[in-house]
């Protein structure tokens, strides 16, 4: 966030909190558009996690190739993906409940900040769990297949770079647009 943008946000927040006579109006169409896009992202994340959870449940039940993917890793993935699915459903319902057109600016800022923080907490928790998974998985790959280990490491690094450079800025922009003020 640029310093000027930060100062502007702080002055708007000060006006809202002090409840001055300044007329602060939410750009409802832009905010609802951002809300719709974030809800779509939550649905996509839920669907992806749920489908993968079902796949790994079936692999776990069928005991498919336990040498390449041990049972404890399958169990971890089923638990992780199920919890991630539930978390995205919770976030979806929480954001869906926010009615942008009816809320006052102060209440809208409060509600959307809560959703932002919950999203951030969830992503950090899921990131830590993913780090645990990759520690277990890569350790298993290092022992079983060195080429597969290096391919997984390169893919993991590429996906992290793609996320940081491409996906995170889009999420940040959507969350900023959620509280768009009319000038």
């Amino acid at each position: 966030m640029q310093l000027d943008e930060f100062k502007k946000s702080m002055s708007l927040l000060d006006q809202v909190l002090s409840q001055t006579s300044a007329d602060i109006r939410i750009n409802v169409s832009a905010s609802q558009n951002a809300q719709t896009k974030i809800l779509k992202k939550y649905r996509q994340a839920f669907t992806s996690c749920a489908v993968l959870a079902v796949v790994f449940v079936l692999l776990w039940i069928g005991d498919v190739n336990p040498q390449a993917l041990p049972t404890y890793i399958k169990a971890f993935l089923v638990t992780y993906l199920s919890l991630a699915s539930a978390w995205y459903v919770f976030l979806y319902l929480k954001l869906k409940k926010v009615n942008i057109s009816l809320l006052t600016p102060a209440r809208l800022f409060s509600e959307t900040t809560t959703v932002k923080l919950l999203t951030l907490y969830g992503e950090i928790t899921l990131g830590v769990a993913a780090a645990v998974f990759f520690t277990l998985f890569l350790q298993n790959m290092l022992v079983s297949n060195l080429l597969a280990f290096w391919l997984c490491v390169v893919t993991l690094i590429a996906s992290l770079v793609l996320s940081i450079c491409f996906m995170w800025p889009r999420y940040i922009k959507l969350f900023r647009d959620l509280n768009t003020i009319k000038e």
Side-chain angles (χ1 to χ4, degrees), residues 14-91:
D14 286 339
Q15 288 175 1
V16 169
L17 291 176
S18 66
Q19 300 199 9
T20 61
S21 61
D23 191 23
I24 297 174
R25 296 181 197 200
I26 302 295
N27 187 346
V28 176
S29 63
S31 295
Q32 286 176 337
N33 188 27
Q35 182 185 28
T36 303
K37 288 179 181 180
I38 293 171
L39 289 172
K40 181 181 176 185
K41 299 260 186 213
Y42 286 159
R43 278 194 313 270
Q44 289 172 342
F46 159 73
T47 304
S48 299
C49 290
V51 167
L52 287 173
V54 169
V55 166
F56 282 105
V57 162
L58 295 175
L59 287 174
W60 188 14
I61 291 171
D63 201 27
V64 176
N65 203 357
Q67 292 80 23
L69 198 59
T71 303
Y72 70 92
I73 291 179
K74 293 175 197 168
F76 182 88
L77 280 172
V78 167
T79 306
Y80 172 78
L81 292 168
S82 299
L83 290 174
S85 295
W87 184 251
Y88 284 116
V89 167
F90 170 74
L91 290 174

Side-chain angles (χ1 to χ4, degrees), residues 64-125:
V64 176
N65 203 357
Q67 292 80 23
L69 198 59
T71 303
Y72 70 92
I73 291 179
K74 293 175 197 168
F76 182 88
L77 280 172
V78 167
T79 306
Y80 172 78
L81 292 168
S82 299
L83 290 174
S85 295
W87 184 251
Y88 284 116
V89 167
F90 170 74
L91 290 174
Y92 178 86
L93 294 174
K94 185 88 170 154
L95 184 59
K96 183 80 172 168
K97 192 171 66 172
V98 175
N99 191 344
I100 294 171
S101 59
L102 296 179
L103 293 175
T104 63
R107 187 74 182 143
L108 178 64
F109 289 160
S110 173
E111 292 289 327
T112 56
T113 300
T114 301
V115 173
K116 288 176 193 178
L117 289 174
L118 287 172
T119 301
L120 186 61
Y121 296 153
E123 293 293 328
I124 289 170
T125 304

Side-chain angles (χ1 to χ4, degrees), residues 34 37-38 168-178 180:
K37 288 179 181 180
I38 293 171
W168 289 357
R170 286 186 172 193
Y171 266 112
I172 291 168
K173 183 186 181 311
L174 284 175
F175 275 111
R176 281 188 188 146
D177 289 348
L178 200 54
T180 303

